[in-house]
Amino acid sequence: MLSRGLYAPLISGALIFLYLSWDVDSSYSLYVIPFVLGLAVVYILSPQIDWWWYQRRPPALPAFVRELLNTRFPFYQQLGPADKERFRIRTALYMKSREFIPQGMPAVPPDLQGVIAATAVQLTFGQKDFLKDKFEHIVVYPHPFPSPQYPQHWHASEIYVEDGVIMFSAEQLLPSFLEPQRYFHIGLYEFARVYRQSLAGKGLPAFSESDWPGLEKVSGMSRGDIEKWVGLPFLEIAAVAVVFFMVFPARFRTVFPLAYEGMVAALNLDFRHL
């Protein structure tokens, strides 16, 4: 990272002038101040400095994550060569820009980080600014968990808006990423909720309780099964609709033709033209 590379010359400069002030002339101590101030600025601004660097020299996506995209991710597979490269770069940047926090495991495995990043990038792929949300902390549990918001429910995912936190259970996240037509995709669901928190998300079509039969027709998943999979007895129906737009676009367009066009406009993503 660029910020780490800046530390060495600044520290060296400060040490040189400290030595000169000690061994040659005490007036050299004044020259230590700019280096110390530089170190403080780099420390405070290191996230911005590193992000600027990564945008100009994107990190390589780990080979095993790239293989996962090539073999198990239909959305990526249908993209053209230029869009595939853009997707890989965005996934790598997302992985660098977020803090992955393990709970009940020593670390969040890199492949799981890649799954989360690819899911986020999939949803905002049509957007110019794909990192506009404030949810920078991603907590991953190995299995369903209770939380301060829902202490009575062992659930698979949630967002905590106040602290910009997204939480996932790996036990539900991985199957839903690998087989989203069989398992409700909790990754897309939570990122759809995050997207709805942003200004861009205000343009998403509205859905009501009366639309549940149509959503069940699109997905073949009952509301009860989805609630059981997520682990909470209440769902944001508009976020559920975004999931099914992404996973079952052809069926979604048949059942909700107007909402499909609304999704295309809001997300700048049309599966008819990928």
Side-chain angles (χ1 to χ4, degrees), residues 17-61:
F17 283 107
L18 277 173
Y19 170 77
L20 291 174
S21 66
W22 179 269
D23 200 57
V24 179
D25 188 328
S26 61
S27 63
Y28 280 109
S29 62
L30 293 174
Y31 296 99
V32 176
I33 296 174
F35 290 95
V36 173
L37 290 176
L39 284 168
V41 169
V42 171
Y43 177 78
I44 293 170
L45 298 180
S46 59
Q48 292 87 345
I49 293 170
D50 291 335
W51 183 243
W52 175 86
W53 179 259
Y54 284 135
Q55 285 183 308
R56 282 149 185 80
R57 292 170 175 78
L61 190 65

mmCIF file of all heavy atoms in Angstrom, residues 17-61:
data_model
loop_
_atom_site.group_PDB
_atom_site.id
_atom_site.type_symbol
_atom_site.label_atom_id
_atom_site.label_comp_id
_atom_site.label_asym_id
_atom_site.label_seq_id
_atom_site.Cartn_x
_atom_site.Cartn_y
_atom_site.Cartn_z
ATOM 1 N N PHE A 17 17.677 13.955 11.060
ATOM 2 C CA PHE A 17 17.777 15.271 11.691
ATOM 3 C C PHE A 17 17.825 15.168 13.217
ATOM 4 O O PHE A 17 18.407 16.040 13.877
ATOM 5 C CB PHE A 17 16.629 16.158 11.224
ATOM 6 C CG PHE A 17 16.836 16.706 9.835
ATOM 7 C CD1 PHE A 17 16.112 16.214 8.770
ATOM 8 C CD2 PHE A 17 17.789 17.684 9.602
ATOM 9 C CE1 PHE A 17 16.315 16.701 7.488
ATOM 10 C CE2 PHE A 17 18.000 18.178 8.318
ATOM 11 C CZ PHE A 17 17.262 17.684 7.259
ATOM 12 N N LEU A 18 17.223 14.123 13.767
ATOM 13 C CA LEU A 18 17.390 13.904 15.206
ATOM 14 C C LEU A 18 18.857 13.632 15.533
ATOM 15 O O LEU A 18 19.401 14.153 16.521
ATOM 16 C CB LEU A 18 16.515 12.726 15.663
ATOM 17 C CG LEU A 18 15.053 13.020 15.973
ATOM 18 C CD1 LEU A 18 14.297 11.724 16.247
ATOM 19 C CD2 LEU A 18 14.938 13.966 17.177
ATOM 20 N N TYR A 19 19.495 12.828 14.704
ATOM 21 C CA TYR A 19 20.915 12.531 14.913
ATOM 22 C C TYR A 19 21.753 13.798 14.784
ATOM 23 O O TYR A 19 22.651 14.068 15.603
ATOM 24 C CB TYR A 19 21.380 11.483 13.904
ATOM 25 C CG TYR A 19 22.883 11.292 13.879
ATOM 26 C CD1 TYR A 19 23.526 10.558 14.873
ATOM 27 C CD2 TYR A 19 23.650 11.885 12.878
ATOM 28 C CE1 TYR A 19 24.902 10.408 14.864
ATOM 29 C CE2 TYR A 19 25.021 11.735 12.864
ATOM 30 C CZ TYR A 19 25.643 10.997 13.854
ATOM 31 O OH TYR A 19 27.015 10.857 13.858
ATOM 32 N N LEU A 20 21.463 14.599 13.739
ATOM 33 C CA LEU A 20 22.231 15.821 13.528
ATOM 34 C C LEU A 20 22.040 16.805 14.678
ATOM 35 O O LEU A 20 22.996 17.478 15.109
ATOM 36 C CB LEU A 20 21.822 16.473 12.208
ATOM 37 C CG LEU A 20 22.228 15.726 10.929
ATOM 38 C CD1 LEU A 20 21.633 16.399 9.694
ATOM 39 C CD2 LEU A 20 23.741 15.636 10.811
ATOM 40 N N SER A 21 20.796 16.891 15.176
ATOM 41 C CA SER A 21 20.559 17.812 16.290
ATOM 42 C C SER A 21 21.254 17.338 17.562
ATOM 43 O O SER A 21 21.649 18.146 18.414
ATOM 44 C CB SER A 21 19.055 17.963 16.537
ATOM 45 O OG SER A 21 18.495 16.747 16.992
ATOM 46 N N TRP A 22 21.397 16.043 17.704
ATOM 47 C CA TRP A 22 22.056 15.483 18.895
ATOM 48 C C TRP A 22 23.577 15.560 18.789
ATOM 49 O O TRP A 22 24.260 15.920 19.752
ATOM 50 C CB TRP A 22 21.613 14.044 19.077
ATOM 51 C CG TRP A 22 22.246 13.344 20.250
ATOM 52 C CD1 TRP A 22 23.393 12.613 20.267
ATOM 53 C CD2 TRP A 22 21.771 13.356 21.587
ATOM 54 N NE1 TRP A 22 23.652 12.141 21.524
ATOM 55 C CE2 TRP A 22 22.668 12.585 22.368
ATOM 56 C CE3 TRP A 22 20.654 13.933 22.206
ATOM 57 C CZ2 TRP A 22 22.496 12.379 23.728
ATOM 58 C CZ3 TRP A 22 20.486 13.725 23.565
ATOM 59 C CH2 TRP A 22 21.393 12.958 24.314
ATOM 60 N N ASP A 23 24.094 15.268 17.571
ATOM 61 C CA ASP A 23 25.541 15.109 17.438
ATOM 62 C C ASP A 23 26.242 16.319 16.824
ATOM 63 O O ASP A 23 27.461 16.485 17.000
ATOM 64 C CB ASP A 23 25.830 13.881 16.575
ATOM 65 C CG ASP A 23 27.240 13.353 16.769
ATOM 66 O OD1 ASP A 23 27.596 13.044 17.913
ATOM 67 O OD2 ASP A 23 27.958 13.260 15.748
ATOM 68 N N VAL A 24 25.507 17.176 16.103
ATOM 69 C CA VAL A 24 26.159 18.294 15.405
ATOM 70 C C VAL A 24 25.711 19.646 15.944
ATOM 71 O O VAL A 24 26.516 20.431 16.448
ATOM 72 C CB VAL A 24 25.881 18.213 13.880
ATOM 73 C CG1 VAL A 24 26.535 19.393 13.139
ATOM 74 C CG2 VAL A 24 26.377 16.898 13.311
ATOM 75 N N ASP A 25 24.401 19.926 15.797
ATOM 76 C CA ASP A 25 23.902 21.245 16.222
ATOM 77 C C ASP A 25 22.430 21.091 16.587
ATOM 78 O O ASP A 25 21.645 20.560 15.801
ATOM 79 C CB ASP A 25 24.067 22.248 15.079
ATOM 80 C CG ASP A 25 23.764 23.685 15.504
ATOM 81 O OD1 ASP A 25 22.904 23.865 16.382
ATOM 82 O OD2 ASP A 25 24.387 24.602 14.950
ATOM 83 N N SER A 26 22.063 21.572 17.745
ATOM 84 C CA SER A 26 20.684 21.417 18.216
ATOM 85 C C SER A 26 19.671 22.122 17.320
ATOM 86 O O SER A 26 18.473 21.805 17.346
ATOM 87 C CB SER A 26 20.543 21.944 19.650
ATOM 88 O OG SER A 26 20.854 23.332 19.700
ATOM 89 N N SER A 27 20.121 23.077 16.515
ATOM 90 C CA SER A 27 19.194 23.788 15.639
ATOM 91 C C SER A 27 18.593 22.878 14.564
ATOM 92 O O SER A 27 17.550 23.181 13.991
ATOM 93 C CB SER A 27 19.895 24.973 14.957
ATOM 94 O OG SER A 27 20.947 24.519 14.114
ATOM 95 N N TYR A 28 19.258 21.769 14.293
ATOM 96 C CA TYR A 28 18.711 20.814 13.331
ATOM 97 C C TYR A 28 17.383 20.203 13.799
ATOM 98 O O TYR A 28 16.656 19.621 12.998
ATOM 99 C CB TYR A 28 19.719 19.689 13.072
ATOM 100 C CG TYR A 28 20.814 20.054 12.107
ATOM 101 C CD1 TYR A 28 22.120 20.251 12.552
ATOM 102 C CD2 TYR A 28 20.551 20.192 10.750
ATOM 103 C CE1 TYR A 28 23.138 20.592 11.667
ATOM 104 C CE2 TYR A 28 21.563 20.530 9.858
ATOM 105 C CZ TYR A 28 22.851 20.734 10.321
ATOM 106 O OH TYR A 28 23.849 21.069 9.444
ATOM 107 N N SER A 29 17.081 20.311 15.081
ATOM 108 C CA SER A 29 15.836 19.732 15.608
ATOM 109 C C SER A 29 14.605 20.343 14.950
ATOM 110 O O SER A 29 13.545 19.713 14.882
ATOM 111 C CB SER A 29 15.764 19.899 17.119
ATOM 112 O OG SER A 29 15.761 21.277 17.463
ATOM 113 N N LEU A 30 14.724 21.586 14.474
ATOM 114 C CA LEU A 30 13.586 22.220 13.807
ATOM 115 C C LEU A 30 13.172 21.473 12.544
ATOM 116 O O LEU A 30 12.002 21.471 12.170
ATOM 117 C CB LEU A 30 13.941 23.672 13.448
ATOM 118 C CG LEU A 30 14.139 24.643 14.616
ATOM 119 C CD1 LEU A 30 14.615 25.997 14.113
ATOM 120 C CD2 LEU A 30 12.848 24.798 15.405
ATOM 121 N N TYR A 31 14.159 20.850 11.899
ATOM 122 C CA TYR A 31 13.875 20.153 10.644
ATOM 123 C C TYR A 31 13.158 18.812 10.872
ATOM 124 O O TYR A 31 12.699 18.184 9.914
ATOM 125 C CB TYR A 31 15.166 19.922 9.864
ATOM 126 C CG TYR A 31 15.827 21.212 9.435
ATOM 127 C CD1 TYR A 31 16.890 21.741 10.159
ATOM 128 C CD2 TYR A 31 15.375 21.901 8.319
ATOM 129 C CE1 TYR A 31 17.498 22.933 9.769
ATOM 130 C CE2 TYR A 31 15.973 23.091 7.920
ATOM 131 C CZ TYR A 31 17.029 23.609 8.653
ATOM 132 O OH TYR A 31 17.621 24.786 8.265
ATOM 133 N N VAL A 32 13.101 18.400 12.134
ATOM 134 C CA VAL A 32 12.376 17.165 12.446
ATOM 135 C C VAL A 32 10.872 17.382 12.315
ATOM 136 O O VAL A 32 10.117 16.473 11.943
ATOM 137 C CB VAL A 32 12.738 16.673 13.857
ATOM 138 C CG1 VAL A 32 11.910 15.435 14.225
ATOM 139 C CG2 VAL A 32 14.218 16.366 13.947
ATOM 140 N N ILE A 33 10.427 18.603 12.606
ATOM 141 C CA ILE A 33 8.985 18.895 12.689
ATOM 142 C C ILE A 33 8.233 18.560 11.397
ATOM 143 O O ILE A 33 7.188 17.890 11.435
ATOM 144 C CB ILE A 33 8.766 20.370 13.083
ATOM 145 C CG1 ILE A 33 9.317 20.616 14.495
ATOM 146 C CG2 ILE A 33 7.277 20.725 13.027
ATOM 147 C CD1 ILE A 33 9.283 22.067 14.928
ATOM 148 N N PRO A 34 8.721 18.983 10.203
ATOM 149 C CA PRO A 34 7.967 18.643 8.976
ATOM 150 C C PRO A 34 7.809 17.146 8.767
ATOM 151 O O PRO A 34 6.754 16.690 8.292
ATOM 152 C CB PRO A 34 8.810 19.275 7.862
ATOM 153 C CG PRO A 34 9.591 20.340 8.524
ATOM 154 C CD PRO A 34 9.886 19.839 9.906
ATOM 155 N N PHE A 35 8.826 16.386 9.137
ATOM 156 C CA PHE A 35 8.733 14.932 8.950
ATOM 157 C C PHE A 35 7.717 14.317 9.915
ATOM 158 O O PHE A 35 6.965 13.413 9.541
ATOM 159 C CB PHE A 35 10.112 14.299 9.140
ATOM 160 C CG PHE A 35 11.083 14.618 8.049
ATOM 161 C CD1 PHE A 35 11.978 15.673 8.177
ATOM 162 C CD2 PHE A 35 11.091 13.886 6.868
ATOM 163 C CE1 PHE A 35 12.871 15.979 7.154
ATOM 164 C CE2 PHE A 35 11.981 14.187 5.845
ATOM 165 C CZ PHE A 35 12.869 15.239 5.986
ATOM 166 N N VAL A 36 7.701 14.820 11.141
ATOM 167 C CA VAL A 36 6.727 14.322 12.120
ATOM 168 C C VAL A 36 5.308 14.691 11.684
ATOM 169 O O VAL A 36 4.383 13.868 11.763
ATOM 170 C CB VAL A 36 7.032 14.880 13.515
ATOM 171 C CG1 VAL A 36 5.920 14.504 14.489
ATOM 172 C CG2 VAL A 36 8.374 14.367 14.012
ATOM 173 N N LEU A 37 5.138 15.925 11.209
ATOM 174 C CA LEU A 37 3.820 16.330 10.716
ATOM 175 C C LEU A 37 3.416 15.494 9.510
ATOM 176 O O LEU A 37 2.248 15.093 9.370
ATOM 177 C CB LEU A 37 3.837 17.810 10.334
ATOM 178 C CG LEU A 37 3.948 18.804 11.496
ATOM 179 C CD1 LEU A 37 4.055 20.229 10.974
ATOM 180 C CD2 LEU A 37 2.749 18.683 12.426
ATOM 181 N N GLY A 38 4.381 15.205 8.631
ATOM 182 C CA GLY A 38 4.092 14.357 7.479
ATOM 183 C C GLY A 38 3.641 12.970 7.892
ATOM 184 O O GLY A 38 2.701 12.413 7.311
ATOM 185 N N LEU A 39 4.300 12.400 8.902
ATOM 186 C CA LEU A 39 3.897 11.085 9.403
ATOM 187 C C LEU A 39 2.473 11.124 9.944
ATOM 188 O O LEU A 39 1.680 10.199 9.717
ATOM 189 C CB LEU A 39 4.863 10.626 10.497
ATOM 190 C CG LEU A 39 6.232 10.126 10.021
ATOM 191 C CD1 LEU A 39 7.175 9.983 11.215
ATOM 192 C CD2 LEU A 39 6.092 8.787 9.307
ATOM 193 N N ALA A 40 2.134 12.191 10.666
ATOM 194 C CA ALA A 40 0.786 12.311 11.225
ATOM 195 C C ALA A 40 -0.256 12.409 10.117
ATOM 196 O O ALA A 40 -1.326 11.774 10.184
ATOM 197 C CB ALA A 40 0.704 13.535 12.144
ATOM 198 N N VAL A 41 0.055 13.186 9.083
ATOM 199 C CA VAL A 41 -0.894 13.343 7.973
ATOM 200 C C VAL A 41 -1.088 12.019 7.240
ATOM 201 O O VAL A 41 -2.223 11.630 6.922
ATOM 202 C CB VAL A 41 -0.393 14.436 6.999
ATOM 203 C CG1 VAL A 41 -1.223 14.425 5.714
ATOM 204 C CG2 VAL A 41 -0.459 15.798 7.657
ATOM 205 N N VAL A 42 0.000 11.314 6.969
ATOM 206 C CA VAL A 42 -0.101 10.027 6.278
ATOM 207 C C VAL A 42 -0.895 9.039 7.110
ATOM 208 O O VAL A 42 -1.731 8.286 6.586
ATOM 209 C CB VAL A 42 1.304 9.473 5.962
ATOM 210 C CG1 VAL A 42 1.206 8.031 5.454
ATOM 211 C CG2 VAL A 42 1.995 10.341 4.925
ATOM 212 N N TYR A 43 -0.662 9.027 8.423
ATOM 213 C CA TYR A 43 -1.396 8.105 9.299
ATOM 214 C C TYR A 43 -2.895 8.401 9.272
ATOM 215 O O TYR A 43 -3.717 7.488 9.153
ATOM 216 C CB TYR A 43 -0.859 8.221 10.723
ATOM 217 C CG TYR A 43 -1.590 7.359 11.717
ATOM 218 C CD1 TYR A 43 -1.346 5.989 11.796
ATOM 219 C CD2 TYR A 43 -2.551 7.907 12.568
ATOM 220 C CE1 TYR A 43 -2.027 5.189 12.695
ATOM 221 C CE2 TYR A 43 -3.242 7.116 13.475
ATOM 222 C CZ TYR A 43 -2.975 5.761 13.536
ATOM 223 O OH TYR A 43 -3.668 4.980 14.434
ATOM 224 N N ILE A 44 -3.251 9.680 9.362
ATOM 225 C CA ILE A 44 -4.667 10.055 9.406
ATOM 226 C C ILE A 44 -5.347 9.804 8.069
ATOM 227 O O ILE A 44 -6.485 9.326 8.004
ATOM 228 C CB ILE A 44 -4.815 11.541 9.807
ATOM 229 C CG1 ILE A 44 -4.350 11.745 11.257
ATOM 230 C CG2 ILE A 44 -6.257 12.004 9.648
ATOM 231 C CD1 ILE A 44 -4.227 13.196 11.667
ATOM 232 N N LEU A 45 -4.639 10.091 6.986
ATOM 233 C CA LEU A 45 -5.237 10.005 5.647
ATOM 234 C C LEU A 45 -4.884 8.714 4.918
ATOM 235 O O LEU A 45 -5.136 8.597 3.720
ATOM 236 C CB LEU A 45 -4.801 11.197 4.805
ATOM 237 C CG LEU A 45 -5.211 12.581 5.302
ATOM 238 C CD1 LEU A 45 -4.698 13.659 4.367
ATOM 239 C CD2 LEU A 45 -6.725 12.677 5.446
ATOM 240 N N SER A 46 -4.313 7.739 5.631
ATOM 241 C CA SER A 46 -3.878 6.515 4.953
ATOM 242 C C SER A 46 -4.992 5.812 4.177
ATOM 243 O O SER A 46 -4.749 5.322 3.064
ATOM 244 C CB SER A 46 -3.223 5.555 5.958
ATOM 245 O OG SER A 46 -4.105 5.217 7.001
ATOM 246 N N PRO A 47 -6.255 5.735 4.688
ATOM 247 C CA PRO A 47 -7.293 5.079 3.869
ATOM 248 C C PRO A 47 -7.521 5.797 2.542
ATOM 249 O O PRO A 47 -7.658 5.152 1.497
ATOM 250 C CB PRO A 47 -8.538 5.151 4.770
ATOM 251 C CG PRO A 47 -8.003 5.264 6.156
ATOM 252 C CD PRO A 47 -6.768 6.082 6.028
ATOM 253 N N GLN A 48 -7.566 7.139 2.573
ATOM 254 C CA GLN A 48 -7.783 7.894 1.336
ATOM 255 C C GLN A 48 -6.584 7.771 0.399
ATOM 256 O O GLN A 48 -6.753 7.656 -0.821
ATOM 257 C CB GLN A 48 -8.036 9.374 1.668
ATOM 258 C CG GLN A 48 -9.357 9.625 2.378
ATOM 259 C CD GLN A 48 -9.267 9.478 3.887
ATOM 260 O OE1 GLN A 48 -8.298 8.925 4.395
ATOM 261 N NE2 GLN A 48 -10.273 9.976 4.590
ATOM 262 N N ILE A 49 -5.377 7.806 0.966
ATOM 263 C CA ILE A 49 -4.173 7.678 0.149
ATOM 264 C C ILE A 49 -4.132 6.319 -0.537
ATOM 265 O O ILE A 49 -3.875 6.211 -1.739
ATOM 266 C CB ILE A 49 -2.911 7.882 1.011
ATOM 267 C CG1 ILE A 49 -2.829 9.328 1.498
ATOM 268 C CG2 ILE A 49 -1.651 7.503 0.231
ATOM 269 C CD1 ILE A 49 -1.762 9.565 2.542
ATOM 270 N N ASP A 50 -4.401 5.263 0.228
ATOM 271 C CA ASP A 50 -4.363 3.914 -0.340
ATOM 272 C C ASP A 50 -5.450 3.725 -1.385
ATOM 273 O O ASP A 50 -5.232 3.066 -2.412
ATOM 274 C CB ASP A 50 -4.503 2.873 0.775
ATOM 275 C CG ASP A 50 -3.284 2.832 1.676
ATOM 276 O OD1 ASP A 50 -2.195 3.218 1.219
ATOM 277 O OD2 ASP A 50 -3.425 2.429 2.850
ATOM 278 N N TRP A 51 -6.649 4.292 -1.133
ATOM 279 C CA TRP A 51 -7.738 4.151 -2.100
ATOM 280 C C TRP A 51 -7.396 4.867 -3.408
ATOM 281 O O TRP A 51 -7.652 4.353 -4.504
ATOM 282 C CB TRP A 51 -9.032 4.691 -1.504
ATOM 283 C CG TRP A 51 -10.211 4.508 -2.405
ATOM 284 C CD1 TRP A 51 -10.981 5.467 -2.968
ATOM 285 C CD2 TRP A 51 -10.754 3.265 -2.861
ATOM 286 N NE1 TRP A 51 -11.963 4.911 -3.747
ATOM 287 C CE2 TRP A 51 -11.850 3.564 -3.689
ATOM 288 C CE3 TRP A 51 -10.411 1.927 -2.624
ATOM 289 C CZ2 TRP A 51 -12.606 2.573 -4.302
ATOM 290 C CZ3 TRP A 51 -11.177 0.942 -3.255
ATOM 291 C CH2 TRP A 51 -12.255 1.276 -4.069
ATOM 292 N N TRP A 52 -6.805 6.055 -3.308
ATOM 293 C CA TRP A 52 -6.361 6.765 -4.505
ATOM 294 C C TRP A 52 -5.369 5.914 -5.286
ATOM 295 O O TRP A 52 -5.431 5.815 -6.508
ATOM 296 C CB TRP A 52 -5.715 8.089 -4.089
ATOM 297 C CG TRP A 52 -5.120 8.860 -5.213
ATOM 298 C CD1 TRP A 52 -5.750 9.750 -6.043
ATOM 299 C CD2 TRP A 52 -3.749 8.811 -5.649
ATOM 300 N NE1 TRP A 52 -4.855 10.248 -6.972
ATOM 301 C CE2 TRP A 52 -3.622 9.699 -6.753
ATOM 302 C CE3 TRP A 52 -2.622 8.111 -5.218
ATOM 303 C CZ2 TRP A 52 -2.410 9.886 -7.419
ATOM 304 C CZ3 TRP A 52 -1.413 8.304 -5.890
ATOM 305 C CH2 TRP A 52 -1.317 9.188 -6.967
ATOM 306 N N TRP A 53 -4.468 5.270 -4.587
ATOM 307 C CA TRP A 53 -3.454 4.426 -5.221
ATOM 308 C C TRP A 53 -4.078 3.201 -5.886
ATOM 309 O O TRP A 53 -3.753 2.856 -7.025
ATOM 310 C CB TRP A 53 -2.426 4.020 -4.166
ATOM 311 C CG TRP A 53 -1.337 3.118 -4.675
ATOM 312 C CD1 TRP A 53 -1.246 1.760 -4.526
ATOM 313 C CD2 TRP A 53 -0.176 3.511 -5.422
ATOM 314 N NE1 TRP A 53 -0.098 1.285 -5.124
ATOM 315 C CE2 TRP A 53 0.576 2.333 -5.680
ATOM 316 C CE3 TRP A 53 0.294 4.732 -5.894
ATOM 317 C CZ2 TRP A 53 1.767 2.362 -6.384
ATOM 318 C CZ3 TRP A 53 1.484 4.751 -6.599
ATOM 319 C CH2 TRP A 53 2.209 3.573 -6.834
ATOM 320 N N TYR A 54 -4.993 2.553 -5.167
ATOM 321 C CA TYR A 54 -5.620 1.349 -5.715
ATOM 322 C C TYR A 54 -6.453 1.652 -6.953
ATOM 323 O O TYR A 54 -6.541 0.840 -7.872
ATOM 324 C CB TYR A 54 -6.501 0.688 -4.662
ATOM 325 C CG TYR A 54 -5.736 -0.076 -3.610
ATOM 326 C CD1 TYR A 54 -6.068 0.048 -2.264
ATOM 327 C CD2 TYR A 54 -4.693 -0.930 -3.953
ATOM 328 C CE1 TYR A 54 -5.378 -0.662 -1.291
ATOM 329 C CE2 TYR A 54 -4.000 -1.633 -2.994
ATOM 330 C CZ TYR A 54 -4.348 -1.493 -1.655
ATOM 331 O OH TYR A 54 -3.655 -2.187 -0.708
ATOM 332 N N GLN A 55 -7.105 2.818 -6.978
ATOM 333 C CA GLN A 55 -7.914 3.160 -8.154
ATOM 334 C C GLN A 55 -7.061 3.325 -9.401
ATOM 335 O O GLN A 55 -7.527 3.045 -10.505
ATOM 336 C CB GLN A 55 -8.707 4.441 -7.876
ATOM 337 C CG GLN A 55 -9.896 4.224 -6.944
ATOM 338 C CD GLN A 55 -10.698 5.494 -6.765
ATOM 339 O OE1 GLN A 55 -10.160 6.548 -6.431
ATOM 340 N NE2 GLN A 55 -11.990 5.404 -6.997
ATOM 341 N N ARG A 56 -5.840 3.785 -9.233
ATOM 342 C CA ARG A 56 -4.948 3.983 -10.365
ATOM 343 C C ARG A 56 -4.137 2.741 -10.696
ATOM 344 O O ARG A 56 -3.723 2.551 -11.835
ATOM 345 C CB ARG A 56 -4.026 5.170 -10.089
ATOM 346 C CG ARG A 56 -4.746 6.496 -10.306
ATOM 347 C CD ARG A 56 -4.254 7.604 -9.404
ATOM 348 N NE ARG A 56 -5.079 8.802 -9.596
ATOM 349 C CZ ARG A 56 -6.277 8.952 -9.032
ATOM 350 N NH1 ARG A 56 -6.766 8.002 -8.248
ATOM 351 N NH2 ARG A 56 -6.985 10.043 -9.247
ATOM 352 N N ARG A 57 -3.914 1.914 -9.696
ATOM 353 C CA ARG A 57 -3.201 0.643 -9.896
ATOM 354 C C ARG A 57 -3.992 -0.456 -9.191
ATOM 355 O O ARG A 57 -3.636 -0.880 -8.095
ATOM 356 C CB ARG A 57 -1.774 0.737 -9.363
ATOM 357 C CG ARG A 57 -0.895 1.680 -10.158
ATOM 358 C CD ARG A 57 0.424 1.934 -9.452
ATOM 359 N NE ARG A 57 1.328 2.757 -10.251
ATOM 360 C CZ ARG A 57 1.222 4.090 -10.369
ATOM 361 N NH1 ARG A 57 0.252 4.717 -9.717
ATOM 362 N NH2 ARG A 57 2.069 4.782 -11.110
ATOM 363 N N PRO A 58 -5.100 -0.887 -9.809
ATOM 364 C CA PRO A 58 -5.982 -1.853 -9.144
ATOM 365 C C PRO A 58 -5.242 -3.127 -8.735
ATOM 366 O O PRO A 58 -4.420 -3.646 -9.497
ATOM 367 C CB PRO A 58 -7.039 -2.165 -10.208
ATOM 368 C CG PRO A 58 -7.011 -0.978 -11.122
ATOM 369 C CD PRO A 58 -5.582 -0.536 -11.145
ATOM 370 N N PRO A 59 -5.534 -3.636 -7.553
ATOM 371 C CA PRO A 59 -4.908 -4.893 -7.130
ATOM 372 C C PRO A 59 -5.455 -6.052 -7.958
ATOM 373 O O PRO A 59 -6.583 -6.004 -8.462
ATOM 374 C CB PRO A 59 -5.324 -5.020 -5.664
ATOM 375 C CG PRO A 59 -6.606 -4.241 -5.576
ATOM 376 C CD PRO A 59 -6.453 -3.096 -6.544
ATOM 377 N N ALA A 60 -4.652 -7.071 -8.098
ATOM 378 C CA ALA A 60 -5.101 -8.252 -8.839
ATOM 379 C C ALA A 60 -6.099 -9.040 -8.002
ATOM 380 O O ALA A 60 -5.946 -9.163 -6.783
ATOM 381 C CB ALA A 60 -3.902 -9.126 -9.193
ATOM 382 N N LEU A 61 -7.104 -9.554 -8.660
ATOM 383 C CA LEU A 61 -8.070 -10.402 -7.970
ATOM 384 C C LEU A 61 -7.423 -11.754 -7.709
ATOM 385 O O LEU A 61 -6.813 -12.338 -8.614
ATOM 386 C CB LEU A 61 -9.323 -10.579 -8.832
ATOM 387 C CG LEU A 61 -10.537 -11.230 -8.176
ATOM 388 C CD1 LEU A 61 -11.084 -10.345 -7.064
ATOM 389 C CD2 LEU A 61 -11.623 -11.475 -9.222
#
